[in-house]
Amino acid sequence: MKFEEYPIAAEIKRNIEALGYKKPTDIQFKSIPAILNKEDVLAIAQTGTGKTAAFAIPVIHLIHERKRNRAKDAIKCVVMVPTHELAIQITQVFNSLAKHTKVKAFALFGGTEQQPQIDKLYQGVDILVATPGRLFDLRSQGYLDLSDIEILVLDEADHMLDLGFIGDIEDLIKFLPKHRQTLFFSATINEKIKKLAYSLVHKAIRIQISPKDPVAKNIQHAVAHIEMDDKRFFLERVIRENEGKKMIVFVRTKVRAERVAAAMQKAGIDTLTIHSDKDHKNRTDVMRQFREGKVRVLIATDVSARGIDIPNVDFVVNYDLPEVPENYVHRVGRTGRGMQKGQAVSFCSREEEPVLKEIEAFLGKPVVKLAVDQDTREEVLDYTEATKFTIKDVMREILEAEQTPVKKGKKKK
Ligand code: AMP
């Protein structure tokens, strides 16, 4: 199936082509016809699968048609998302797919002045991509009329629940028309999410993307055993060996993010940090610098980075293993977006081994192990320029290792 064959407006097809999408991804193939058919959808899909366009393409088409039939000016679709970064990013996807149509999307989120947002709303918006908190506030103050909503999208519903947005979501639902189309997207599913989903959708089409291997096929990922105190030296090495590549380094806490950044600074490596202590302006600046490639190493915590789509991230380093196993999938999913290839390496210390076991249980299979022998370890810690161990070489081994059972205690010569 090609995008050309979908019954969608020619303008949207041109925009898809301009974005360089050649054929639909799995989630797009499964959801676009159902959404165009005005069905409710309940989809389990991680970021990186192309899920934003999976709902944006048909939603824009449906609203475009309504506008051609002179529907009244009003907000027709609300997309609820967990973070302001995600709100901005999804709005960008909507607006690039809606070019040359009259459909307009706008991002609404907290932590910033509300008056400019209110002014923008009065200029006319068709699709509102919003975090539940600010949406709730503006509606309570009477600035938002949600009575003409025809489509409700919940994106990253599991993350919204984790962030405690359930109350806001339930309150907001009361103000939406009962007769509407609901599209529910979550990366994971459990009893709580199912309960919320089934309270919102009606006779939904269920879609599940790669349930067996939650890490996308185009991402090579592996783990190296590296003790806590040695991690910074190995990180320095990985960064130097991947000159020119964009890299996200995940750490457990915001304090650690700053410490790792300081350690890299000492080694003469520029990095950016993003975590919840940074204000909105700072986070936006950091994301811009990273997107533009001004600084190519971003040190992040889980919460701040979830759902962010940064094109061309070549490498993910799990400096610390994530405490919640499913975050492993979200983290490595920052690379290998869409059809691109990506690489990820995790540093696992002795203390973190139980966490690695949990991650492997979640993935349903072991993560490929990279052998780091004593010579290599000493070499990295000695700061020598010798290149016996290169992450590049070892990453190349991953493909081979994936074909064979995990080799325990394998020594690299
Ligand atoms: P998402 O899962 O929505 O965060 O999308 C992940 C990435 O895939 C984004 O960078 C999109 O631009 C890209 N993408 C989405 N759909 C396609 C497609 N059909 N072909 C190629 N890339 C795509």
Side-chain angles (χ1 to χ4, degrees), residues 187-229:
T188 52
I189 187 101
N190 61 27
E191 282 313 310
K192 238 165 90 184
I193 293 157
K194 261 192 217 160
K195 198 167 154 236
L196 176 67
Y198 285 113
S199 72
L200 297 175
V201 298
H202 179 65
K203 291 192 182 156
I205 306 285
R206 292 196 51 156
I207 299 169
Q208 188 147 3
I209 299 299
S210 14
K212 287 209 189 75
D213 189 356
V215 177
K217 287 187 210 69
N218 46 337
I219 301 170
Q220 293 179 8
H221 60 116
V223 60
H225 280 275
I226 295 173
E227 292 313 330
M228 221 31 124
D229 290 345

mmCIF file of all heavy atoms in Angstrom, residues 187-229:
data_model
loop_
_atom_site.group_PDB
_atom_site.id
_atom_site.type_symbol
_atom_site.label_atom_id
_atom_site.label_comp_id
_atom_site.label_asym_id
_atom_site.label_seq_id
_atom_site.Cartn_x
_atom_site.Cartn_y
_atom_site.Cartn_z
ATOM 1 N N ALA A 187 1.816 3.270 24.921
ATOM 2 C CA ALA A 187 2.962 2.421 24.580
ATOM 3 C C ALA A 187 2.848 1.068 25.275
ATOM 4 O O ALA A 187 3.354 0.068 24.785
ATOM 5 C CB ALA A 187 4.254 3.110 24.981
ATOM 6 N N THR A 188 2.174 1.078 26.435
ATOM 7 C CA THR A 188 2.045 -0.168 27.195
ATOM 8 C C THR A 188 0.587 -0.311 27.626
ATOM 9 O O THR A 188 -0.186 0.643 27.556
ATOM 10 C CB THR A 188 2.912 -0.106 28.468
ATOM 11 O OG1 THR A 188 2.581 1.095 29.161
ATOM 12 C CG2 THR A 188 4.389 -0.121 28.137
ATOM 13 N N ILE A 189 0.262 -1.510 28.086
ATOM 14 C CA ILE A 189 -1.126 -1.726 28.513
ATOM 15 C C ILE A 189 -1.120 -2.463 29.851
ATOM 16 O O ILE A 189 -0.332 -3.376 30.054
ATOM 17 C CB ILE A 189 -1.916 -2.498 27.419
ATOM 18 C CG1 ILE A 189 -3.401 -2.590 27.756
ATOM 19 C CG2 ILE A 189 -1.348 -3.877 27.103
ATOM 20 C CD1 ILE A 189 -4.229 -1.602 27.013
ATOM 21 N N ASN A 190 -1.927 -2.002 30.786
ATOM 22 C CA ASN A 190 -2.138 -2.753 32.038
ATOM 23 C C ASN A 190 -3.597 -2.525 32.452
ATOM 24 O O ASN A 190 -4.357 -1.876 31.721
ATOM 25 C CB ASN A 190 -1.137 -2.318 33.124
ATOM 26 C CG ASN A 190 -1.284 -0.850 33.473
ATOM 27 O OD1 ASN A 190 -2.357 -0.251 33.329
ATOM 28 N ND2 ASN A 190 -0.210 -0.248 33.941
ATOM 29 N N GLU A 191 -3.969 -3.033 33.608
ATOM 30 C CA GLU A 191 -5.387 -2.982 33.987
ATOM 31 C C GLU A 191 -5.912 -1.539 34.074
ATOM 32 O O GLU A 191 -7.009 -1.228 33.636
ATOM 33 C CB GLU A 191 -5.609 -3.699 35.324
ATOM 34 C CG GLU A 191 -5.635 -5.224 35.201
ATOM 35 C CD GLU A 191 -6.524 -5.721 34.057
ATOM 36 O OE1 GLU A 191 -7.692 -5.287 33.959
ATOM 37 O OE2 GLU A 191 -6.035 -6.531 33.231
ATOM 38 N N LYS A 192 -5.068 -0.639 34.642
ATOM 39 C CA LYS A 192 -5.499 0.754 34.831
ATOM 40 C C LYS A 192 -5.758 1.430 33.473
ATOM 41 O O LYS A 192 -6.715 2.166 33.294
ATOM 42 C CB LYS A 192 -4.395 1.517 35.576
ATOM 43 C CG LYS A 192 -4.880 2.138 36.864
ATOM 44 C CD LYS A 192 -3.733 2.549 37.743
ATOM 45 C CE LYS A 192 -3.267 3.957 37.498
ATOM 46 N NZ LYS A 192 -2.091 4.335 38.272
ATOM 47 N N ILE A 193 -4.838 1.146 32.553
ATOM 48 C CA ILE A 193 -4.955 1.776 31.227
ATOM 49 C C ILE A 193 -6.164 1.224 30.489
ATOM 50 O O ILE A 193 -6.923 1.971 29.863
ATOM 51 C CB ILE A 193 -3.647 1.587 30.422
ATOM 52 C CG1 ILE A 193 -2.536 2.385 31.102
ATOM 53 C CG2 ILE A 193 -3.795 2.025 28.979
ATOM 54 C CD1 ILE A 193 -1.167 1.899 30.795
ATOM 55 N N LYS A 194 -6.345 -0.102 30.625
ATOM 56 C CA LYS A 194 -7.508 -0.724 29.971
ATOM 57 C C LYS A 194 -8.797 -0.077 30.487
ATOM 58 O O LYS A 194 -9.699 0.231 29.724
ATOM 59 C CB LYS A 194 -7.542 -2.217 30.308
ATOM 60 C CG LYS A 194 -6.975 -3.080 29.206
ATOM 61 C CD LYS A 194 -7.327 -4.524 29.495
ATOM 62 C CE LYS A 194 -6.171 -5.397 29.094
ATOM 63 N NZ LYS A 194 -6.178 -6.706 29.705
ATOM 64 N N LYS A 195 -8.846 0.129 31.812
ATOM 65 C CA LYS A 195 -10.056 0.681 32.417
ATOM 66 C C LYS A 195 -10.344 2.077 31.829
ATOM 67 O O LYS A 195 -11.468 2.376 31.439
ATOM 68 C CB LYS A 195 -9.852 0.761 33.930
ATOM 69 C CG LYS A 195 -11.121 0.906 34.688
ATOM 70 C CD LYS A 195 -10.932 0.658 36.173
ATOM 71 C CE LYS A 195 -11.987 1.406 36.922
ATOM 72 N NZ LYS A 195 -11.520 2.313 37.922
ATOM 73 N N LEU A 196 -9.293 2.898 31.776
ATOM 74 C CA LEU A 196 -9.478 4.248 31.224
ATOM 75 C C LEU A 196 -9.890 4.144 29.753
ATOM 76 O O LEU A 196 -10.840 4.807 29.314
ATOM 77 C CB LEU A 196 -8.164 5.052 31.349
ATOM 78 C CG LEU A 196 -8.214 6.442 30.709
ATOM 79 C CD1 LEU A 196 -9.170 7.360 31.457
ATOM 80 C CD2 LEU A 196 -6.828 7.089 30.663
ATOM 81 N N ALA A 197 -9.181 3.284 29.003
ATOM 82 C CA ALA A 197 -9.462 3.167 27.569
ATOM 83 C C ALA A 197 -10.920 2.787 27.334
ATOM 84 O O ALA A 197 -11.623 3.448 26.575
ATOM 85 C CB ALA A 197 -8.528 2.133 26.943
ATOM 86 N N TYR A 198 -11.380 1.746 28.049
ATOM 87 C CA TYR A 198 -12.738 1.280 27.779
ATOM 88 C C TYR A 198 -13.808 2.234 28.303
ATOM 89 O O TYR A 198 -14.963 2.144 27.894
ATOM 90 C CB TYR A 198 -12.917 -0.153 28.276
ATOM 91 C CG TYR A 198 -12.218 -1.120 27.332
ATOM 92 C CD1 TYR A 198 -11.104 -1.845 27.726
ATOM 93 C CD2 TYR A 198 -12.658 -1.248 26.012
ATOM 94 C CE1 TYR A 198 -10.454 -2.696 26.840
ATOM 95 C CE2 TYR A 198 -12.015 -2.080 25.117
ATOM 96 C CZ TYR A 198 -10.918 -2.812 25.533
ATOM 97 O OH TYR A 198 -10.284 -3.618 24.647
ATOM 98 N N SER A 199 -13.414 3.174 29.181
ATOM 99 C CA SER A 199 -14.402 4.161 29.598
ATOM 100 C C SER A 199 -14.537 5.255 28.530
ATOM 101 O O SER A 199 -15.457 6.057 28.557
ATOM 102 C CB SER A 199 -14.000 4.785 30.939
ATOM 103 O OG SER A 199 -12.897 5.644 30.755
ATOM 104 N N LEU A 200 -13.604 5.282 27.586
ATOM 105 C CA LEU A 200 -13.613 6.365 26.598
ATOM 106 C C LEU A 200 -14.002 5.927 25.193
ATOM 107 O O LEU A 200 -14.666 6.662 24.475
ATOM 108 C CB LEU A 200 -12.211 7.013 26.516
ATOM 109 C CG LEU A 200 -11.710 7.683 27.788
ATOM 110 C CD1 LEU A 200 -10.283 8.157 27.614
ATOM 111 C CD2 LEU A 200 -12.609 8.863 28.122
ATOM 112 N N VAL A 201 -13.531 4.740 24.783
ATOM 113 C CA VAL A 201 -13.782 4.348 23.393
ATOM 114 C C VAL A 201 -15.086 3.550 23.282
ATOM 115 O O VAL A 201 -15.592 3.021 24.265
ATOM 116 C CB VAL A 201 -12.610 3.502 22.816
ATOM 117 C CG1 VAL A 201 -11.326 4.289 22.787
ATOM 118 C CG2 VAL A 201 -12.418 2.209 23.603
ATOM 119 N N HIS A 202 -15.574 3.476 22.068
ATOM 120 C CA HIS A 202 -16.820 2.748 21.822
ATOM 121 C C HIS A 202 -16.588 1.819 20.644
ATOM 122 O O HIS A 202 -16.218 2.278 19.556
ATOM 123 C CB HIS A 202 -17.916 3.782 21.524
ATOM 124 C CG HIS A 202 -19.232 3.173 21.243
ATOM 125 N ND1 HIS A 202 -19.937 2.462 22.188
ATOM 126 C CD2 HIS A 202 -19.973 3.142 20.108
ATOM 127 C CE1 HIS A 202 -21.067 2.039 21.645
ATOM 128 N NE2 HIS A 202 -21.097 2.432 20.385
ATOM 129 N N LYS A 203 -16.751 0.520 20.866
ATOM 130 C CA LYS A 203 -16.542 -0.484 19.810
ATOM 131 C C LYS A 203 -15.252 -0.212 19.037
ATOM 132 O O LYS A 203 -15.266 -0.084 17.797
ATOM 133 C CB LYS A 203 -17.724 -0.490 18.831
ATOM 134 C CG LYS A 203 -19.001 -1.016 19.439
ATOM 135 C CD LYS A 203 -20.019 -1.255 18.339
ATOM 136 C CE LYS A 203 -21.320 -1.745 18.928
ATOM 137 N NZ LYS A 203 -22.465 -1.482 18.106
ATOM 138 N N ALA A 204 -14.167 -0.063 19.787
ATOM 139 C CA ALA A 204 -12.921 0.374 19.140
ATOM 140 C C ALA A 204 -12.273 -0.724 18.304
ATOM 141 O O ALA A 204 -12.395 -1.904 18.614
ATOM 142 C CB ALA A 204 -11.937 0.826 20.210
ATOM 143 N N ILE A 205 -11.578 -0.303 17.264
ATOM 144 C CA ILE A 205 -10.705 -1.196 16.507
ATOM 145 C C ILE A 205 -9.425 -1.307 17.338
ATOM 146 O O ILE A 205 -8.832 -0.281 17.683
ATOM 147 C CB ILE A 205 -10.333 -0.568 15.130
ATOM 148 C CG1 ILE A 205 -11.579 -0.175 14.350
ATOM 149 C CG2 ILE A 205 -9.385 -1.454 14.350
ATOM 150 C CD1 ILE A 205 -12.334 -1.310 13.737
ATOM 151 N N ARG A 206 -9.018 -2.538 17.656
ATOM 152 C CA ARG A 206 -7.817 -2.710 18.488
ATOM 153 C C ARG A 206 -6.614 -2.970 17.609
ATOM 154 O O ARG A 206 -6.648 -3.821 16.729
ATOM 155 C CB ARG A 206 -8.007 -3.870 19.457
ATOM 156 C CG ARG A 206 -9.049 -3.573 20.521
ATOM 157 C CD ARG A 206 -8.921 -4.552 21.636
ATOM 158 N NE ARG A 206 -7.532 -4.616 22.101
ATOM 159 C CZ ARG A 206 -7.171 -5.014 23.302
ATOM 160 N NH1 ARG A 206 -8.086 -5.376 24.162
ATOM 161 N NH2 ARG A 206 -5.912 -5.068 23.642
ATOM 162 N N ILE A 207 -5.552 -2.233 17.891
ATOM 163 C CA ILE A 207 -4.329 -2.398 17.092
ATOM 164 C C ILE A 207 -3.162 -2.559 18.042
ATOM 165 O O ILE A 207 -3.012 -1.772 18.990
ATOM 166 C CB ILE A 207 -4.097 -1.157 16.192
ATOM 167 C CG1 ILE A 207 -5.271 -0.985 15.225
ATOM 168 C CG2 ILE A 207 -2.779 -1.268 15.430
ATOM 169 C CD1 ILE A 207 -5.273 0.327 14.485
ATOM 170 N N GLN A 208 -2.352 -3.574 17.811
ATOM 171 C CA GLN A 208 -1.163 -3.742 18.653
ATOM 172 C C GLN A 208 0.047 -3.909 17.743
ATOM 173 O O GLN A 208 0.028 -4.741 16.840
ATOM 174 C CB GLN A 208 -1.329 -4.960 19.561
ATOM 175 C CG GLN A 208 -0.217 -5.060 20.579
ATOM 176 C CD GLN A 208 -0.694 -5.670 21.891
ATOM 177 O OE1 GLN A 208 -1.852 -6.078 22.013
ATOM 178 N NE2 GLN A 208 0.183 -5.758 22.862
ATOM 179 N N ILE A 209 1.066 -3.119 17.989
ATOM 180 C CA ILE A 209 2.236 -3.156 17.117
ATOM 181 C C ILE A 209 3.379 -3.886 17.816
ATOM 182 O O ILE A 209 3.734 -3.547 18.944
ATOM 183 C CB ILE A 209 2.663 -1.714 16.718
ATOM 184 C CG1 ILE A 209 1.523 -1.030 15.948
ATOM 185 C CG2 ILE A 209 3.940 -1.701 15.903
ATOM 186 C CD1 ILE A 209 1.105 -1.692 14.664
ATOM 187 N N SER A 210 3.962 -4.835 17.138
ATOM 188 C CA SER A 210 5.078 -5.677 17.613
ATOM 189 C C SER A 210 5.046 -5.967 19.116
ATOM 190 O O SER A 210 5.901 -5.493 19.850
ATOM 191 C CB SER A 210 6.451 -5.122 17.252
ATOM 192 O OG SER A 210 6.425 -3.823 16.821
ATOM 193 N N PRO A 211 4.052 -6.714 19.576
ATOM 194 C CA PRO A 211 3.986 -6.987 21.007
ATOM 195 C C PRO A 211 5.133 -7.868 21.494
ATOM 196 O O PRO A 211 5.525 -7.792 22.630
ATOM 197 C CB PRO A 211 2.650 -7.714 21.168
ATOM 198 C CG PRO A 211 2.336 -8.273 19.825
ATOM 199 C CD PRO A 211 3.008 -7.404 18.828
ATOM 200 N N LYS A 212 5.684 -8.697 20.590
ATOM 201 C CA LYS A 212 6.699 -9.654 21.031
ATOM 202 C C LYS A 212 8.049 -8.996 21.255
ATOM 203 O O LYS A 212 8.751 -9.293 22.194
ATOM 204 C CB LYS A 212 6.834 -10.770 20.005
ATOM 205 C CG LYS A 212 5.651 -11.707 20.044
ATOM 206 C CD LYS A 212 6.048 -13.109 19.606
ATOM 207 C CE LYS A 212 4.825 -13.962 19.438
ATOM 208 N NZ LYS A 212 4.080 -13.634 18.205
ATOM 209 N N ASP A 213 8.425 -8.108 20.363
ATOM 210 C CA ASP A 213 9.715 -7.437 20.531
ATOM 211 C C ASP A 213 9.479 -5.938 20.594
ATOM 212 O O ASP A 213 9.363 -5.268 19.586
ATOM 213 C CB ASP A 213 10.643 -7.776 19.356
ATOM 214 C CG ASP A 213 12.051 -7.261 19.626
ATOM 215 O OD1 ASP A 213 12.229 -6.599 20.674
ATOM 216 O OD2 ASP A 213 12.936 -7.519 18.818
ATOM 217 N N PRO A 214 9.362 -5.418 21.826
ATOM 218 C CA PRO A 214 9.006 -4.008 21.930
ATOM 219 C C PRO A 214 10.076 -3.051 21.394
ATOM 220 O O PRO A 214 9.791 -1.886 21.167
ATOM 221 C CB PRO A 214 8.765 -3.793 23.421
ATOM 222 C CG PRO A 214 9.248 -5.001 24.125
ATOM 223 C CD PRO A 214 9.535 -6.079 23.123
ATOM 224 N N VAL A 215 11.304 -3.541 21.206
ATOM 225 C CA VAL A 215 12.322 -2.651 20.623
ATOM 226 C C VAL A 215 12.257 -2.803 19.101
ATOM 227 O O VAL A 215 12.285 -3.918 18.584
ATOM 228 C CB VAL A 215 13.737 -3.007 21.128
ATOM 229 C CG1 VAL A 215 14.779 -2.118 20.465
ATOM 230 C CG2 VAL A 215 13.817 -2.880 22.642
ATOM 231 N N ALA A 216 12.163 -1.683 18.405
ATOM 232 C CA ALA A 216 12.037 -1.729 16.940
ATOM 233 C C ALA A 216 13.212 -2.481 16.321
ATOM 234 O O ALA A 216 14.329 -2.451 16.837
ATOM 235 C CB ALA A 216 11.960 -0.304 16.396
ATOM 236 N N LYS A 217 12.926 -3.146 15.192
ATOM 237 C CA LYS A 217 13.929 -4.010 14.557
ATOM 238 C C LYS A 217 15.147 -3.236 14.067
ATOM 239 O O LYS A 217 16.243 -3.778 13.975
ATOM 240 C CB LYS A 217 13.302 -4.719 13.355
ATOM 241 C CG LYS A 217 12.339 -5.814 13.742
ATOM 242 C CD LYS A 217 11.915 -6.553 12.481
ATOM 243 C CE LYS A 217 10.512 -7.123 12.613
ATOM 244 N NZ LYS A 217 9.454 -6.110 12.643
ATOM 245 N N ASN A 218 14.959 -1.980 13.740
ATOM 246 C CA ASN A 218 16.083 -1.213 13.180
ATOM 247 C C ASN A 218 17.002 -0.616 14.259
ATOM 248 O O ASN A 218 17.875 0.185 13.964
ATOM 249 C CB ASN A 218 15.567 -0.115 12.245
ATOM 250 C CG ASN A 218 14.418 0.640 12.849
ATOM 251 O OD1 ASN A 218 13.723 0.131 13.733
ATOM 252 N ND2 ASN A 218 14.227 1.858 12.428
ATOM 253 N N ILE A 219 16.802 -1.028 15.524
ATOM 254 C CA ILE A 219 17.684 -0.537 16.593
ATOM 255 C C ILE A 219 18.567 -1.686 17.085
ATOM 256 O O ILE A 219 18.054 -2.717 17.523
ATOM 257 C CB ILE A 219 16.880 0.019 17.784
ATOM 258 C CG1 ILE A 219 15.976 1.170 17.313
ATOM 259 C CG2 ILE A 219 17.809 0.488 18.902
ATOM 260 C CD1 ILE A 219 14.973 1.630 18.341
ATOM 261 N N GLN A 220 19.877 -1.516 16.991
ATOM 262 C CA GLN A 220 20.798 -2.496 17.569
ATOM 263 C C GLN A 220 21.073 -2.048 18.996
ATOM 264 O O GLN A 220 21.521 -0.920 19.208
ATOM 265 C CB GLN A 220 22.130 -2.473 16.815
ATOM 266 C CG GLN A 220 22.040 -2.952 15.400
ATOM 267 C CD GLN A 220 23.395 -2.875 14.723
ATOM 268 O OE1 GLN A 220 24.409 -2.603 15.328
ATOM 269 N NE2 GLN A 220 23.388 -3.128 13.439
ATOM 270 N N HIS A 221 20.808 -2.915 19.953
ATOM 271 C CA HIS A 221 21.044 -2.493 21.341
ATOM 272 C C HIS A 221 21.774 -3.579 22.111
ATOM 273 O O HIS A 221 21.559 -4.769 21.865
ATOM 274 C CB HIS A 221 19.723 -2.112 22.027
ATOM 275 C CG HIS A 221 18.719 -3.209 22.099
ATOM 276 N ND1 HIS A 221 18.295 -3.741 23.280
ATOM 277 C CD2 HIS A 221 18.067 -3.879 21.134
ATOM 278 C CE1 HIS A 221 17.405 -4.691 23.038
ATOM 279 N NE2 HIS A 221 17.245 -4.792 21.744
ATOM 280 N N ALA A 222 22.655 -3.144 22.999
ATOM 281 C CA ALA A 222 23.478 -4.106 23.730
ATOM 282 C C ALA A 222 23.835 -3.530 25.088
ATOM 283 O O ALA A 222 23.624 -2.336 25.346
ATOM 284 C CB ALA A 222 24.747 -4.371 22.933
ATOM 285 N N VAL A 223 24.343 -4.402 25.960
ATOM 286 C CA VAL A 223 24.707 -3.944 27.302
ATOM 287 C C VAL A 223 26.162 -4.311 27.588
ATOM 288 O O VAL A 223 26.630 -5.371 27.168
ATOM 289 C CB VAL A 223 23.732 -4.527 28.365
ATOM 290 C CG1 VAL A 223 23.734 -6.045 28.381
ATOM 291 C CG2 VAL A 223 24.051 -4.016 29.764
ATOM 292 N N ALA A 224 26.878 -3.408 28.267
ATOM 293 C CA ALA A 224 28.258 -3.689 28.666
ATOM 294 C C ALA A 224 28.331 -3.584 30.187
ATOM 295 O O ALA A 224 27.740 -2.667 30.783
ATOM 296 C CB ALA A 224 29.192 -2.667 28.035
ATOM 297 N N HIS A 225 29.041 -4.527 30.826
ATOM 298 C CA HIS A 225 29.175 -4.450 32.273
ATOM 299 C C HIS A 225 30.269 -3.452 32.623
ATOM 300 O O HIS A 225 31.432 -3.674 32.310
ATOM 301 C CB HIS A 225 29.437 -5.841 32.858
ATOM 302 C CG HIS A 225 28.153 -6.586 32.968
ATOM 303 N ND1 HIS A 225 27.313 -6.443 34.052
ATOM 304 C CD2 HIS A 225 27.527 -7.401 32.107
ATOM 305 C CE1 HIS A 225 26.218 -7.165 33.845
ATOM 306 N NE2 HIS A 225 26.330 -7.754 32.672
ATOM 307 N N ILE A 226 29.870 -2.375 33.237
ATOM 308 C CA ILE A 226 30.818 -1.313 33.579
ATOM 309 C C ILE A 226 30.500 -0.836 34.996
ATOM 310 O O ILE A 226 29.337 -0.503 35.290
ATOM 311 C CB ILE A 226 30.718 -0.150 32.566
ATOM 312 C CG1 ILE A 226 31.168 -0.657 31.191
ATOM 313 C CG2 ILE A 226 31.563 1.048 33.003
ATOM 314 C CD1 ILE A 226 30.975 0.290 30.066
ATOM 315 N N GLU A 227 31.500 -0.835 35.847
ATOM 316 C CA GLU A 227 31.244 -0.455 37.238
ATOM 317 C C GLU A 227 30.917 1.033 37.333
ATOM 318 O O GLU A 227 31.359 1.840 36.515
ATOM 319 C CB GLU A 227 32.453 -0.808 38.126
ATOM 320 C CG GLU A 227 32.680 -2.313 38.275
ATOM 321 C CD GLU A 227 31.409 -3.123 38.595
ATOM 322 O OE1 GLU A 227 30.485 -2.581 39.249
ATOM 323 O OE2 GLU A 227 31.314 -4.280 38.165
ATOM 324 N N MET A 228 30.139 1.339 38.365
ATOM 325 C CA MET A 228 29.633 2.696 38.569
ATOM 326 C C MET A 228 30.728 3.761 38.414
ATOM 327 O O MET A 228 30.561 4.734 37.683
ATOM 328 C CB MET A 228 29.051 2.746 39.974
ATOM 329 C CG MET A 228 27.779 3.462 40.198
ATOM 330 S SD MET A 228 26.618 3.501 38.873
ATOM 331 C CE MET A 228 25.171 2.823 39.608
ATOM 332 N N ASP A 229 31.856 3.544 39.108
ATOM 333 C CA ASP A 229 32.902 4.568 39.114
ATOM 334 C C ASP A 229 33.612 4.700 37.761
ATOM 335 O O ASP A 229 34.293 5.689 37.518
ATOM 336 C CB ASP A 229 33.965 4.228 40.184
ATOM 337 C CG ASP A 229 33.389 4.398 41.574
ATOM 338 O OD1 ASP A 229 32.323 5.038 41.691
ATOM 339 O OD2 ASP A 229 33.993 3.882 42.535
#
